Amino acid sequence: MPIHYGSQALNYMTISSPLGTQIPQATGYAFALKTQNKPNCVICYFGEGAASEGDFHAALNMAGVFKVPVIFFCRNNGYAISTPAHEQFAGDGIASRGVGYGIKTLRVDGNDVLAVLKATQEARRMAVEQHEPVLIEAMTYRLGAHSSSDDPSGYRNKSEEETWRAKCPVLRFKLWLIAQGWWDEDQEEQRKQAHRSAIVNAMKKAEKIPAPTLEDLFSDVYDTPPWHLQEQYDALKAHIRKYPEAYPKTSWRLDHE
Ligand SMILES: Cc1ncc(C[n+]2csc(CCOP(=O)(O)OP(=O)(O)O)c2C)c(N)n1
């Protein structure tokens, strides 16, 4: 998963694909911050779909009981891939659950950049000064597809999308900046062009990097590969030797032989 970045230097935990697993971890980190008396807090972002996992409930309950400095930031964009919110839960969104767990809760217009900033700052103040968990539910919409393998036309209609397109947070913020006299369409166009060429250049550069070696598929997790991974690695190598045409040279190389 190429979006699973993280940064130890920035205290940014690596993103994880299994939904909800990191919500209790966030409570755990916050518990550690509290025991060390640090003036910091943890923030954990997830979707309303992830909030259907049992992990969400365990995490909020534990945070509420132990009163630890964690902000649970739920982006409620109305869909868990193709499942609309009304098929996910019968209650009033995610905010009501925070109240149920005795956690201070804010619901904010997730398409209003400044409102989200203010809500997050306020939640941080409460978490750090009062050693309290806070839940934020940001109400928003996913205009694009969930992923490159998702086709939203199968589960929602164009008019729904158009209603939300008009509320696009980037567009709203742009109009606000223009109304303040701090931005204009020319600057917007120039900035877009600059971003576009930066991205095209980065893609060109990335395309020149050789494809990963076969070994990279198995490395970087364990110092010494466990036997079952070694077995799989050997089996794959044998398969490549037997059916080389199934593995285009650009995708797989047995460089470490
Ligand atoms: C434990 C688990 N179950 C199922 C999936 C498959 N899955 C990936 S994304 C997704 C929907 C997530 O919905 P939400 O949390 O609302 O996030 P968003 O739609 O905003 O990306 C599902 C079910 C998964 N990654 N992990």
Side-chain angles (χ1 to χ4, degrees), residues 196-214:
R196 198 165 288 135
S197 53
I199 290 168
V200 170
N201 288 341
M203 280 170 65
K204 281 186 187 152
K205 211 166 136 187
E207 277 164 5
K208 287 197 187 109
I209 298 172
T213 64
L214 179 67

Side-chain angles (χ1 to χ4, degrees), residues 17-19 46-50 53 75 77 79-81 88 142 146:
S17 260
L19 294 171
F46 52 91
E48 88 292 338
E53 291 289 337
R75 288 174 306 240
N77 64 12
Y79 289 89
I81 314 188
Q88 297 180 57
R142 164 170 52 75
H146 173 84

Side-chain angles (χ1 to χ4, degrees), residues 12 66 81 117 131 155 240 245:
Y12 192 102
F66 289 111
I81 314 188
L117 177 67
H131 277 297
Y155 55 84
I240 292 177
E245 66 285 356

Side-chain angles (χ1 to χ4, degrees), residues 35-227:
T35 53
Q36 291 165 26
N37 225 2
K38 291 210 169 138
N40 306 104
C41 70
V42 180
I43 186 163
C44 176
Y45 294 90
F46 52 91
E48 88 292 338
S52 298
E53 291 289 337
D55 280 358
F56 166 87
H57 298 276
L60 262 74
N61 189 49
M62 197 172 149
V65 170
F66 289 111
K67 299 236 170 301
V68 294
V70 55
I71 302 168
F72 301 108
F73 193 111
C74 178
R75 288 174 306 240
N76 184 345
N77 64 12
Y79 289 89
I81 314 188
S82 57
T83 310
H86 68 86
E87 283 180 29
Q88 297 180 57
F89 43 80
D92 179 14
I94 308 303
S96 58
R97 301 184 196 171
V99 179
Y101 284 113
I103 289 179
K104 287 185 177 157
T105 300
L106 298 157
R107 179 177 271 164
V108 63
D109 177 353
N111 283 11
D112 180 338
V113 175
L114 296 174
V116 171
L117 177 67
K118 188 75 197 154
T120 311
Q121 286 170 336
E122 191 53 24
R124 185 185 186 281
R125 192 189 59 72
M126 289 193 275
V128 172
E129 286 177 12
Q130 298 157 19
H131 277 297
E132 288 244 27
V134 183
L135 171 67
I136 299 175
E137 182 180 20
M139 308 307 285
T140 185
Y141 189 81
R142 164 170 52 75
L143 275 176
H146 173 84
S147 66
S148 51
S149 54
D150 173 39
D151 174 14
S153 69
Y155 55 84
R156 66 188 195 194
N157 59 47
K158 282 267 168 245
S159 76
E160 177 184 311
E161 288 177 11
E162 288 321 308
T163 312
W164 279 94
R165 200 175 300 283
K167 299 183 202 166
C168 166
V170 180
L171 175 69
R172 272 169 74 181
F173 195 59
K174 176 185 126 179
L175 294 176
W176 182 77
L177 287 174
I178 291 174
Q180 304 302 308
W182 297 337
W183 196 242
D184 59 38
E185 293 291 353
D186 282 349
Q187 281 174 291
E188 175 85 6
E189 205 36 52
Q190 279 172 23
R191 182 63 64 96
K192 269 190 191 162
Q193 291 299 342
H195 285 325
R196 198 165 288 135
S197 53
I199 290 168
V200 170
N201 288 341
M203 280 170 65
K204 281 186 187 152
K205 211 166 136 187
E207 277 164 5
K208 287 197 187 109
I209 298 172
T213 64
L214 179 67
E215 200 171 54
D216 290 342
L217 187 63
F218 296 87
S219 62
D220 273 350
V221 174
Y222 299 99
D223 264 353
T224 314
W227 65 266

